[in-house]
Amino acid sequence: MTQEAAPAQFILRGNAAGGILATDEPLSFWGGVDPATGRIIDVHHPLHGQCLTGKVLVMPSSRGSCTGSGVLVDLVLSGRGPAALVFREAEDVLTLGALVAEGMFGVALPVLRLAPGPFGMLSLETEARIGDDRLEAGGLRLAISPPLTTALALSETDRAMLAGEAGEAVGQAMRILCAMAANQGAARLVDVSQGHIDGCIYASPANLVFAEAMADLGGTVRIPTTMNAISVDRQNWRAQGVSPDFGLPAQRLADAYVRMGCRPSFTCAPYLLDTAPEADEVIAWSESNAVIYANTVLGARTAKHPDFLDLCIALTGRAPLAGVYLDAARKARRIIDVDLPEGIDDGFWPLLGYLAGQRAPDRIPLLRGLSSGRPSRDDLKALCAAFGTTSASPMLHIEGVTPEADGAAAADADHAAITRGDLRAAWAQLNGGPAAVELVAIGSPHASLRECRDLAEGLAGRSRHPLTHVIVTAGRDVIGQAAAEGLLARLRACGVQVVPDICWCSISEPVFPPVTRTVMTNSGKYAHYGPGLSGRAVRLGSLSDCITAALTGCAAPRQPAWLA
């Protein structure tokens, strides 16, 4: 019996009972749930303000950040987690978190998958009880099938690693890896050429416990492995006034991964590095925007690996051969026709990505009607990042733009559209804050060298408004190039602060100016996550809009001309 055929299937066994918290919209735990309270902080989500502690959380799947697995582990270990997770679609990020919570910390969290009919019926109930083989909720009674077991074909080297012959850290990594492969229905593992670690962000104490445990067990990565942005400026956080209660564990987390042989690149845009993969290269990246960009723009192959699994793959050099590693899974199952306005600027692309994710929250889309827009690599970076906030998909295609778009549509693909009215509504949704702007945020994902150039040219030597901070987050490599080119000095002369190592989804006070009430950004990703993460209003615009806000202290009073 396949997962799709079973009315109710255990992914991870367990008993639970609690009130039902149901939604038909996926949720990212990172940026969407406060690990300190269990409350949903994503202001754009229908469940905003609800507490999931002790609830049977019923939703189609997860979406957004790979760091959601770490947030879930922390919630479970602190007693603030849900009683159970019930999904309708395949789900990896939170499932991996539940697997780690049980496998490494001995705390079980049941995870189920229901067919669409039973899922809809359960969503209408108020209380549920999950037993060893049965789900009961109101008048609903369902037998729960046991977890699927897949005959995983392991190589001789795989079996040796699983047996602990390469050390306990590698053995633990292989156990987690094999369990995840079974969940994904993989028949075997595949070699990967490089990794990218997302779990180095200090999302919760659980991330630190996991990383230091693996490092203390002697874990060393087997493949070249870069690191995501971390939660502090590693060299300067003390001088910046960051509390040691946060700064020390955040630095220890980064140090643990460096100790295991990871490259301290500290960037959420590894595709900007000289190690960026080539077309068809089989890699293992975590960090949602990086995964989507690698698959979509570069034509490389990587699943959207959750935190914790990213290290397991780096320690073994192996990944489950499933999902978009396979040709068939890279097909588009939804075709989206886009009404492309005339005279667009770079502010169009993050808005489009945000809407595309809403139109295709659970499948790969093919976007049509955009080739005349000629998006740059930075435009595609912004689109992919925004798409990843509203969709669980690890990639998309753009007809006439991305390398695999020709023939990408599956035979049974359905259709949707993004109209001019949809663009206007999304712009209004992401621009609800006051006109006065105290902070301009550039670099989510990390700014490219081209973006640094454009910002310096747009400012043209003029100083920022005295009440408006301007902060750019960028990777160390890009900052080094900007310094060599003289851009760094030009930006600083205008009052712009350029910060390494952290990015906007991990920045905190006092690096984030406490006086801020409204943020202006050119990032659709941060426009979505920012209100929940910072507690401030966030406005979205083009880089030119951000420059105007930086110089005047005010956002543009009306929507862009191309939306009129």
Side-chain angles (χ1 to χ4, degrees):
M1 181 179 289
T2 66
Q3 275 188 299
E4 288 74 16
Q9 185 100 49
F10 268 125
I11 306 303
L12 291 173
R13 287 185 181 275
N15 296 338
I20 292 173
L21 188 61
T23 176
D24 203 42
E25 184 170 325
L27 174 68
S28 173
F29 269 45
W30 169 249
V33 179
D34 181 1
T37 64
R39 292 200 172 275
I40 295 170
I41 57 173
D42 180 348
V43 299
H44 304 291
H45 198 275
L47 295 181
H48 175 243
Q50 296 284 329
C51 182
L52 54 75
T53 302
K55 299 294 179 64
V56 176
L57 181 61
V58 181
M59 62 182 181
S61 185
S62 67
R63 69 182 183 194
S65 177
C66 302
T67 307
S69 51
V71 174
L72 178 63
V73 172
D74 188 58
L75 286 165
V76 170
L77 297 186
S78 68
R80 301 186 185 96
L85 296 171
V86 180
F87 300 117
R88 186 181 65 208
E89 311 291 341
E91 198 285 331
D92 287 345
V93 173
L94 300 179
T95 301
L96 192 279
L99 195 156
V100 169
E102 183 175 27
M104 289 197 70
F105 302 107
V107 183
L109 175 70
V111 180
L112 289 77
R113 184 175 177 189
L114 300 189
F119 179 91
M121 289 187 284
L122 180 64
S123 299
L124 299 176
E125 300 294 343
T126 57
E127 300 279 337
R129 181 176 297 277
I130 298 167
D132 293 336
D133 60 0
R134 187 161 299 275
L135 168 65
E136 299 179 356
L140 183 65
R141 302 287 189 275
L142 284 176
I144 308 176
S145 300
L148 291 176
T149 56
T150 302
L152 192 61
L154 297 178
S155 69
E156 185 176 339
T157 302
D158 291 336
R159 289 193 294 271
M161 289 191 288
L162 185 60
E165 294 178 17
E168 178 54 30
V170 173
Q172 182 70 269
M174 276 299 290
R175 288 190 286 275
I176 295 172
L177 192 55
C178 290
M180 200 61 184
N183 174 61
Q184 296 174 341
R188 63 184 179 89
L189 306 179
V190 63
D191 285 331
V192 294
S193 61
Q194 61 170 280
H196 182 70
I197 298 292
D198 185 59
C200 51
I201 293 177
Y202 188 62
S204 72
N207 290 69
L208 178 59
V209 172
F210 176 81
E212 289 193 329
M214 296 299 257
D216 291 343
L217 288 172
T220 303
V221 299
R222 290 187 169 219
I223 55 175
T225 303
T226 51
M227 292 175 64
N228 199 29
I230 57 177
S231 299
V232 290
D233 179 341
R234 192 171 176 225
Q235 295 175 328
N236 302 304
W237 63 265
R238 290 179 179 84
Q240 292 165 344
V242 175
S243 168
D245 291 341
F246 179 78
L248 283 173
Q251 180 172 349
R252 281 172 53 196
L253 178 59
D255 292 346
Y257 281 102
V258 173
R259 184 154 47 110
M260 288 186 279
C262 298
R263 173 182 169 183
S265 49
F266 302 146
T267 181
C268 53
Y271 39 82
L272 298 177
L273 299 172
D274 56 8
T275 52
E278 299 178 351
D280 293 321
E281 186 174 345
V282 180
I283 64 174
W285 279 9
S286 191
E287 214 295 328
S288 59
N289 101 86
V291 167
I292 296 167
Y293 190 97
N295 284 314
T296 300
V297 182
L298 302 182
R301 298 197 171 209
T302 176
K304 184 180 170 184
H305 295 297
D307 287 15
F308 304 132
L309 192 66
D310 51 9
L311 178 61
C312 295
I313 295 173
L315 292 174
T316 62
R318 304 279 276 167
L321 184 58
V324 290
Y325 283 119
L326 304 170
D327 289 344
R330 297 174 75 86
K331 290 288 187 179
R333 294 173 50 222
R334 178 158 293 155
I335 298 170
I336 303 176
D337 290 302
V338 180
D339 181 7
L340 179 66
E342 295 181 3
I344 59 169
D345 57 23
D346 57 282
F348 167 76
W349 300 101
L351 198 63
L352 174 65
Y354 190 78
L355 281 168
Q358 291 180 337
R359 294 292 183 277
D362 59 354
R363 64 196 64 196
I364 295 171
L366 169 66
L367 308 187
R368 301 194 304 195
L370 296 167
S371 58
S372 63
R374 298 183 178 179
S376 68
R377 286 295 178 100
D378 286 327
D379 293 332
L380 294 173
K381 175 164 76 82
L383 184 153
C384 289
F387 176 78
T389 66
T390 50
S391 178
S393 174
M395 67 181 298
L396 66 150
H397 303 283
I398 306 175
E399 187 176 71
V401 176
T402 57
E404 298 177 54
D406 187 21
D412 60 348
D414 58 17
H415 290 259
I418 294 175
T419 68
R420 202 77 56 92
D422 297 327
L423 291 164
R424 293 191 191 102
W427 187 90
Q429 179 186 3
L430 298 174
N431 277 277
V437 173
E438 292 82 25
L439 173 62
V440 173
I442 306 294
S444 179
H446 272 167
S448 68
L449 186 62
R450 177 74 263 171
E451 286 174 296
C452 292
R453 287 188 191 125
D454 290 345
L455 179 60
E457 290 168 8
L459 291 171
R462 294 170 290 178
S463 295
R464 64 172 175 84
H465 188 276
L467 299 181
T468 303
H469 297 266
V470 183
I471 300 178
V472 177
T473 60
R476 292 182 174 191
D477 287 43
V478 166
I479 291 175
Q481 295 167 27
E485 204 173 291
L487 291 174
L488 202 57
R490 289 171 59 191
L491 290 170
R492 287 172 173 166
C494 297
V496 176
Q497 184 181 0
V498 181
V499 182
D501 300 351
I502 55 179
C503 82
W504 286 100
C505 286
S506 60
I507 199 168
S508 59
E509 295 183 11
V511 181
F512 185 106
V515 297
T516 302
R517 293 173 297 173
T518 303
V519 182
M520 183 79 193
T521 184
N522 64 340
S523 165
K525 178 176 182 176
Y526 194 61
H528 177 83
Y529 287 131
L533 289 170
S534 71
R536 273 75 165 194
V538 180
R539 300 182 66 101
L540 174 67
S542 65
L543 184 61
S544 177
D545 293 333
C546 290
I547 291 169
T548 297
L551 295 173
T552 66
C554 292
R558 58 182 63 89
Q559 64 186 14
W562 49 265
L563 270 183

